[in-house]
Amino acid sequence: MRQLLQTTLLLIATIFASYLSAETLTVVIDNVETADGFVMLRILQGEAEFKGEREAITSIQQRAVEGSITFSVSNLPDGEYAIQVMHDRNGNGKLDSNFVGIPSEPWAFSNNATGNMGPPKWDEVKFALTGEATQSIHFNH
Amino acid sequence: MKLNRRKFLSASSSALALAALPYGLGAGMHASAKTEDWSVMFQTALREKPWLSGYQSVASEQFNADATITGKWPAALLGTLYRNGPAQHEVGGFRYHHWFDGDGMMHAYHLSPNGVQHQAKIIETRKYQAEKRSGRAMYPTLGSVPPNPAAVTSPDVMNVANISVLPHHGKLMALWEAGSPWEIDPETLDAKGAYSFSDNTRGVPFSAHPRIEPDGTLWNFGYLSGANLLVLWHIDAKGKVIKMGKIMSDPISMPHDFVVTEKHIVIMMPPFNYSHPERPSAFLDSHDWHGDQASRILVVDKSDFSNYRWLELPSQWIFHYGNAWEDQNGVIYFDAARAKDPGIMTHGFRDIMKGIGLTEHVTQHYQYRLDTKKWTISEQPLMSAEIHSEFPVIDPRVSTKRYRRLVMMTSKHNNMPLHGQLNEVSRFDLDSGKLVSYRYPDTQIPEEHLFVPKPNSALETTGWIVGTAHDWHRQLTILNVFDVEALDAGPIATAKLPYAMPLGLHGKFVQH
């Protein structure tokens, strides 16, 4: 994980490459509070990935910059997706949380879904990608 | 459903730790505004019932004044009485629908040889600051959902720090029930932000009635309704976390207070059960009263939080306990102001916000006997059913130990004042069963009173009873001092402020 964080600016899984209809998804996070650590983006395909039952296929990170940060993900086939973003401030490769599981680092989901008891539901975070698309996301602190 | 919740918890260390987010506190964030204007209703009622003035929204963010003293102020009574309570009941024209919703205000009554000086300041929580910037009520509270509410992404987003006060390891904190303690500068009363006892416990709910042993050891609990989880805290006198615990409770209630003995922690779960609301509603309304179900009693070993048992009592609702102790045979005794249901909270403290007077808060003071060898529990009245009690307190030096004396607020069913609220301060001696009371004039509504022992006195003997009252007739707040042994003779001295403060909740006296 450490290696992963320190290496690339962009890491995109390529298993979608075989699809003919490939689209570009742009994700803009507009409220990165500090330049500490990394901002990590996961593209989740299907509820199983969202629930953590299956590892997310696409995972990208950038060095954090204060203010706004943009990810562009190309070659995504049409389909139903969700996005999870976290600000890994201390660079330990995970979203830190306290001993009852309340996150202590900024996090967000697509559609800016926040949920109101535990996490948001798949229906609240999912979106259909059928062309070029942009998701504007705000971190929850 | 239950399985899913537990699964979320077990998964909390994974990347989807987001699981545990607001624990139900954000329930109802999509509710729409009520059409009736509670502010107008309250102001209309206030003209007819001037004693409602204690529920007005506070007029200013801060107050400072020297009090006028009458009577003979005890020279040895030196220190600061810190008090907290909901004070800003209206934000941007939106009047809250529950007394417990308002933003907290910290008060300091400094008692020095030069007299009594009062200082008060709104507790500028994160929620208060955000709403001050936007000029509107943004966040759901215990009993209200403002129009177009913002998302609640963690308990502290909506923390109003409005229930009680905790002076501990040189710090002063304002406590709420479902989030972090809020640190307050004890000199300026400025809010310093959410307080964390350790990194790993940042943001973990910390209830408003921690129990402090005479050596400074602190015990507390917290609840996370959406996760069916109770949290236990064990903190030393220096503020260091010794251990934490998690205990599942299904169903989970809204326990407000608890007791601690030399060896055990006892928490009652009245059958006021939380369930995720199908329709948007305030957090309070996500609970249903099940009067036909038992009140569940959790008994936990202080030395090992994984060692616990559940017992049962008939359904009942309790806000506050006085104290608890445990004899050599492992029998625990504790007392509480027992109500048959939480009606005062579900209805009474709502109605009063729109100017409907309080219905009588029917409580009776009970003693409980819990045998930790046979695992049985029983209850019996300590006082007559004609006497309603609340806010029971003790000499803080006997906390968690054998105790013989309670100080509490009371009212008598057959002698209620016009304003319908507790109107007496009483001393109850457990060994003799003797109750001594001072009845406040009907123009004054007394708040919680504390037992302040005379320095170096024998336990629970000489000292003072110190408490405030809202004088709705003269529109001012007073601080009274009574001699513990001569309570029924009335206050020996009174400090009078030049203004009236909203009615508050709990305080602590820090002796110098």
Side-chain angles (χ1 to χ4, degrees), chain B residues 462-508:
Chain B
T462 50
W464 306 279
I465 294 171
V466 176
T468 46
H470 175 93
D471 185 323
W472 55 264
H473 183 64
R474 293 184 293 174
Q475 279 302 301
L476 51 88
T477 288
I478 58 170
L479 172 67
N480 274 335
V481 180
F482 302 83
D483 181 336
V484 170
E485 297 294 351
L487 176 60
D488 46 347
I492 53 177
T494 299
K496 188 175 76 178
L497 305 185
Y499 40 70
M501 291 286 92
L503 285 164
L505 292 169
H506 301 283
K508 286 280 185 233

Side-chain angles (χ1 to χ4, degrees), chain B residues 399-507:
Chain B
S399 173
T400 74
K401 313 282 184 206
R402 176 76 201 258
Y403 65 109
R404 295 180 169 83
R405 184 165 265 186
L406 289 163
V407 169
M408 62 183 89
M409 309 311 293
T410 54
S411 61
K412 297 201 171 69
H413 175 66
N414 58 5
N415 198 10
M416 291 296 291
L418 177 69
H419 56 70
Q421 297 173 68
L422 298 166
N423 64 336
E424 302 170 330
V425 53
S426 294
R427 190 196 77 215
F428 183 74
D429 294 318
L430 283 97
D431 290 346
S432 66
K434 186 178 170 196
L435 181 77
V436 176
S437 303
Y438 166 74
R439 183 186 161 124
Y440 270 85
D442 285 1
T443 51
Q444 295 174 359
I445 303 178
E447 304 174 277
E448 178 192 71
H449 283 45
L450 300 177
F451 187 125
V452 182
K454 192 170 186 178
N456 306 314
S457 61
L459 298 177
E460 306 181 280
T461 57
T462 50
W464 306 279
I465 294 171
V466 176
T468 46
H470 175 93
D471 185 323
W472 55 264
H473 183 64
R474 293 184 293 174
Q475 279 302 301
L476 51 88
T477 288
I478 58 170
L479 172 67
N480 274 335
V481 180
F482 302 83
D483 181 336
V484 170
E485 297 294 351
L487 176 60
D488 46 347
I492 53 177
T494 299
K496 188 175 76 178
L497 305 185
Y499 40 70
M501 291 286 92
L503 285 164
L505 292 169
H506 301 283

Side-chain angles (χ1 to χ4, degrees), chain B residues 206-470:
Chain B
F206 186 89
S207 288
H209 292 288
R211 295 279 165 177
I212 319 284
E213 295 189 33
D215 72 356
T217 303
L218 182 155
W219 304 87
N220 203 2
F221 70 96
Y223 60 84
L224 299 95
S225 308
N228 280 67
L229 188 68
L230 271 174
V231 173
L232 298 172
W233 297 78
H234 175 195
I235 293 168
D236 74 9
K238 291 179 178 165
K240 183 178 165 218
V241 177
I242 301 299
K243 66 178 183 288
M244 300 289 295
K246 294 183 204 175
I247 295 176
M248 299 299 292
S249 174
D250 190 5
I252 194 158
S253 185
M254 281 179 66
H256 177 71
D257 191 4
F258 75 132
V259 289
V260 175
T261 70
E262 214 167 310
K263 293 181 181 160
H264 291 94
I265 291 169
V266 182
I267 304 175
M268 185 187 292
M269 285 280 171
F272 190 49
N273 300 339
Y274 175 83
S275 56
H276 183 61
E278 289 187 13
R279 283 179 301 167
S281 61
F283 181 63
L284 181 61
D285 298 329
S286 304
H287 294 78
D288 290 306
W289 178 248
H290 297 272
D292 56 336
Q293 294 179 10
S295 277
R296 295 154 59 238
I297 317 294
L298 175 67
V299 191
V300 187
D301 180 349
K302 278 167 76 178
S303 66
D304 177 4
F305 288 162
S306 68
N307 183 17
Y308 60 86
R309 281 186 83 130
W310 290 94
L311 301 175
E312 289 189 354
L313 278 173
S315 81
Q316 54 192 286
W317 174 260
I318 290 169
F319 279 118
H320 300 118
Y321 302 86
N323 195 21
W325 66 284
E326 185 164 348
D327 71 15
Q328 290 177 334
N329 302 317
V331 177
I332 294 170
Y333 297 89
F334 63 97
D335 69 281
R338 181 194 196 276
K340 68 179 187 348
D341 60 44
I344 188 85
M345 179 169 64
T346 52
H347 296 90
F349 294 146
R350 274 195 190 290
D351 287 347
I352 203 147
M353 296 304 286
K354 53 181 171 185
I356 297 170
L358 275 180
T359 48
E360 198 172 341
H361 182 29
V362 181
T363 58
Q364 184 176 5
H365 219 78
Y366 264 63
Q367 186 176 54
Y368 299 79
R369 183 183 186 280
L370 195 166
D371 189 324
T372 63
K373 298 284 190 282
K374 297 177 185 154
W375 295 109
T376 55
I377 185 165
S378 59
E379 54 177 341
Q380 62 171 22
L382 265 184
M383 296 179 351
S384 144
E386 294 296 299
I387 301 164
H388 306 319
S389 65
E390 251 306 344
F391 299 108
V393 298
I394 48 162
D395 178 341
R397 299 172 302 176
V398 297
S399 173
T400 74
K401 313 282 184 206
R402 176 76 201 258
Y403 65 109
R404 295 180 169 83
R405 184 165 265 186
L406 289 163
V407 169
M408 62 183 89
M409 309 311 293
T410 54
S411 61
K412 297 201 171 69
H413 175 66
N414 58 5
N415 198 10
M416 291 296 291
L418 177 69
H419 56 70
Q421 297 173 68
L422 298 166
N423 64 336
E424 302 170 330
V425 53
S426 294
R427 190 196 77 215
F428 183 74
D429 294 318
L430 283 97
D431 290 346
S432 66
K434 186 178 170 196
L435 181 77
V436 176
S437 303
Y438 166 74
R439 183 186 161 124
Y440 270 85
D442 285 1
T443 51
Q444 295 174 359
I445 303 178
E447 304 174 277
E448 178 192 71
H449 283 45
L450 300 177
F451 187 125
V452 182
K454 192 170 186 178
N456 306 314
S457 61
L459 298 177
E460 306 181 280
T461 57
T462 50
W464 306 279
I465 294 171
V466 176
T468 46
H470 175 93

Side-chain angles (χ1 to χ4, degrees), chain A:
Chain A
M1 184 54 89
R2 193 84 206 151
Q3 186 70 23
L4 187 68
L5 290 173
Q6 288 168 354
T7 50
T8 52
L9 184 72
L10 203 73
L11 170 69
I12 304 175
T14 54
I15 72 142
F16 302 118
S18 59
Y19 289 82
L20 287 175
S21 168
E23 307 295 351
T24 297
L25 172 66
T26 305
V27 180
V28 182
I29 301 132
D30 65 359
N31 63 338
V32 183
E33 271 195 350
T34 70
D36 300 331
F38 297 84
V39 175
M40 183 186 284
L41 173 86
R42 293 161 153 230
I43 296 179
L44 309 166
Q45 195 174 25
E47 201 166 358
E49 288 186 12
F50 170 66
K51 285 182 170 174
E53 292 165 1
R54 199 172 65 219
E55 194 62 24
I57 290 165
T58 308
S59 183
I60 307 165
Q61 45 250 316
Q62 294 188 42
R63 277 199 180 280
V65 289
E66 199 178 316
S68 180
I69 204 163
T70 301
F71 290 85
S72 286
V73 189
S74 49
N75 295 325
L76 285 175
D78 284 356
E80 206 169 65
Y81 294 93
I83 294 166
Q84 182 192 11
V85 196
M86 60 188 88
H87 185 173
D88 177 21
R89 283 175 169 162
N90 58 7
N92 66 354
K94 64 174 188 176
L95 181 69
D96 290 350
S97 60
N98 65 22
F99 101 118
V100 291
I102 298 174
S104 49
E105 292 179 312
W107 55 274
F109 282 106
S110 37
N111 306 331
N112 288 303
T114 52
N116 73 2
M117 190 178 85
K121 295 183 178 65
W122 172 248
D123 283 350
E124 295 166 327
V125 298
K126 72 178 184 187
F127 61 94
L129 186 69
T130 53
E132 303 274 313
T134 299
Q135 279 271 337
S136 295
I137 295 180
H138 317 283
F139 270 133
N140 299 292
H141 294 281

